[in-house]
Amino acid sequence: MTLLGRFVGSIRQFTRDRRGNVMMMFGFAVIPLSTALGVGIDYSVASRSQTRLNAIADAAALAAVSQSAMLSKTNAEAATIARNVFNAQAATIPGLVYDPANLQVTVTQSGATVFDRLAEVRYAAESKNNFAAILGMSTLPLRGLSRANSAVAPDIDFHVLFDTSPSMALPA
């Protein structure tokens, strides 16, 4: 029997043999299944980081336009405070690659008066991957934008009229 004949015979015997099929199928399937599970975990971590960064951006934008403290300050001071709020809170997120240079805070006058203010916070960061790094994706990009607007109500003159005549003492 030739070498080619033995090879063909062993292939035929291999295809007829039904023992151990489940183990082989599991062996072939475990690699893509565990990779898909790992990539899903990486995506959920990145999604959670994105949600936290969006909340932080909202807080920073609201800090820049809060009526009690910020509307009496200049736009530059309000932008600095919003930037400090974002940077301090973003540093607490684990697994986040964040450069403060990727944060843009813009505070502008949005209305006719000095007390109408619009704050815009844009950020860009990356979430570190543990499992997808094996496939060459070491990070997932995270980006977001938050806007807040605030204004002080204009002064309105109220006039109240009191009738103090004796006729008001009698029920009508």
Side-chain angles (χ1 to χ4, degrees), residues 2 10 48 52 66 69 71 87 101 111 124 127 147 152 154 159 168:
T2 65
S10 62
R48 189 176 320 125
R52 288 183 67 188
S66 68
L71 289 181
N87 289 335
S127 175
R147 288 188 183 122
V152 174
H159 299 279
M168 294 306 291

Short mmCIF file of all heavy atoms in Angstrom, two decimals, residues 2 10 48 52 66 69 71 87 101 111 124 127 147 152 154 159 168:
data_model
loop_
_atom_site.label_atom_id
_atom_site.label_comp_id
_atom_site.label_asym_id
_atom_site.label_seq_id
_atom_site.Cartn_x
_atom_site.Cartn_y
_atom_site.Cartn_z
N THR A 2 0.54 2.17 -0.81
CA THR A 2 1.35 3.38 -0.93
C THR A 2 1.01 4.35 0.20
O THR A 2 0.03 4.19 0.93
CB THR A 2 1.08 4.06 -2.29
OG1 THR A 2 -0.25 4.50 -2.31
CG2 THR A 2 1.37 3.12 -3.44
N SER A 10 -6.87 6.36 6.16
CA SER A 10 -7.01 6.92 7.51
C SER A 10 -8.02 8.06 7.54
O SER A 10 -8.72 8.25 8.53
CB SER A 10 -5.65 7.37 8.04
OG SER A 10 -5.13 8.39 7.23
N ARG A 48 -20.11 51.42 30.41
CA ARG A 48 -20.26 51.96 31.76
C ARG A 48 -19.40 53.20 31.96
O ARG A 48 -19.84 54.19 32.56
CB ARG A 48 -19.89 50.89 32.80
CG ARG A 48 -20.24 51.31 34.21
CD ARG A 48 -19.96 50.24 35.25
NE ARG A 48 -20.33 48.92 34.82
CZ ARG A 48 -19.48 47.87 34.81
NH1 ARG A 48 -18.24 48.03 35.20
NH2 ARG A 48 -19.88 46.70 34.40
N ARG A 52 -20.65 57.09 32.81
CA ARG A 52 -20.10 57.90 33.89
C ARG A 52 -19.51 59.21 33.38
O ARG A 52 -19.68 60.27 33.99
CB ARG A 52 -19.04 57.10 34.66
CG ARG A 52 -19.66 56.00 35.52
CD ARG A 52 -18.66 55.26 36.34
NE ARG A 52 -18.07 56.12 37.36
CZ ARG A 52 -17.05 55.78 38.13
NH1 ARG A 52 -16.51 54.59 37.99
NH2 ARG A 52 -16.58 56.60 39.03
N SER A 66 -24.47 77.48 37.08
CA SER A 66 -25.30 77.51 38.29
C SER A 66 -25.57 78.96 38.68
O SER A 66 -24.69 79.81 38.66
CB SER A 66 -24.64 76.76 39.44
OG SER A 66 -23.48 77.43 39.85
N ALA A 69 -23.69 80.70 42.08
CA ALA A 69 -22.29 81.08 42.18
C ALA A 69 -21.67 81.54 40.87
O ALA A 69 -20.89 82.49 40.85
CB ALA A 69 -21.49 79.90 42.73
N LEU A 71 -22.94 82.66 37.78
CA LEU A 71 -23.40 83.74 36.91
C LEU A 71 -22.79 85.09 37.29
O LEU A 71 -22.78 86.02 36.49
CB LEU A 71 -24.92 83.81 36.90
CG LEU A 71 -25.61 82.67 36.15
CD1 LEU A 71 -27.11 82.84 36.19
CD2 LEU A 71 -25.12 82.56 34.73
N ASN A 87 -12.14 67.17 35.25
CA ASN A 87 -10.85 66.48 35.41
C ASN A 87 -10.76 65.74 36.74
O ASN A 87 -10.24 64.62 36.80
CB ASN A 87 -9.70 67.47 35.28
CG ASN A 87 -9.52 67.94 33.86
OD1 ASN A 87 -9.89 67.27 32.91
ND2 ASN A 87 -8.96 69.12 33.70
N ALA A 101 -6.00 67.38 27.79
CA ALA A 101 -5.93 68.22 26.59
C ALA A 101 -7.08 67.92 25.63
O ALA A 101 -7.39 68.74 24.76
CB ALA A 101 -4.60 68.00 25.88
N GLY A 111 -27.59 85.16 25.67
CA GLY A 111 -28.75 86.05 25.53
C GLY A 111 -28.34 87.50 25.49
O GLY A 111 -27.19 87.85 25.27
N ALA A 124 -13.05 63.61 24.96
CA ALA A 124 -12.62 62.43 24.22
C ALA A 124 -11.70 61.63 25.13
O ALA A 124 -10.80 62.19 25.76
CB ALA A 124 -11.90 62.82 22.94
N SER A 127 -11.25 53.69 26.56
CA SER A 127 -11.40 52.66 27.58
C SER A 127 -10.44 51.52 27.25
O SER A 127 -10.42 51.02 26.12
CB SER A 127 -12.84 52.16 27.60
OG SER A 127 -12.98 51.09 28.51
N ARG A 147 -24.43 70.10 27.10
CA ARG A 147 -24.71 71.53 27.07
C ARG A 147 -25.65 71.89 28.20
O ARG A 147 -26.55 71.12 28.51
CB ARG A 147 -25.38 71.92 25.75
CG ARG A 147 -24.48 71.89 24.57
CD ARG A 147 -25.18 72.46 23.36
NE ARG A 147 -24.32 72.36 22.22
CZ ARG A 147 -24.63 71.71 21.11
NH1 ARG A 147 -25.79 71.12 21.00
NH2 ARG A 147 -23.78 71.67 20.12
N VAL A 152 -30.94 84.37 34.41
CA VAL A 152 -31.60 84.96 35.56
C VAL A 152 -32.83 85.68 35.04
O VAL A 152 -32.77 86.39 34.03
CB VAL A 152 -30.65 85.95 36.28
CG1 VAL A 152 -31.38 86.69 37.38
CG2 VAL A 152 -29.46 85.22 36.83
N PRO A 154 -35.57 88.41 34.50
CA PRO A 154 -35.45 89.88 34.59
C PRO A 154 -36.24 90.41 35.78
O PRO A 154 -37.19 89.78 36.25
CB PRO A 154 -36.06 90.36 33.27
CG PRO A 154 -36.96 89.25 32.85
CD PRO A 154 -36.34 87.98 33.36
N HIS A 159 -46.90 95.79 41.53
CA HIS A 159 -47.65 96.86 42.19
C HIS A 159 -48.83 96.20 42.90
O HIS A 159 -49.59 95.47 42.29
CB HIS A 159 -48.16 97.89 41.18
CG HIS A 159 -47.04 98.55 40.44
ND1 HIS A 159 -46.31 99.59 41.00
CD2 HIS A 159 -46.50 98.33 39.22
CE1 HIS A 159 -45.39 99.97 40.13
NE2 HIS A 159 -45.49 99.22 39.04
N MET A 168 -64.52 98.25 53.35
CA MET A 168 -64.00 96.89 53.24
C MET A 168 -64.27 96.07 54.50
O MET A 168 -64.13 94.87 54.49
CB MET A 168 -62.50 96.92 52.94
CG MET A 168 -62.18 97.50 51.58
SD MET A 168 -63.04 96.73 50.21
CE MET A 168 -62.32 95.14 50.16
#
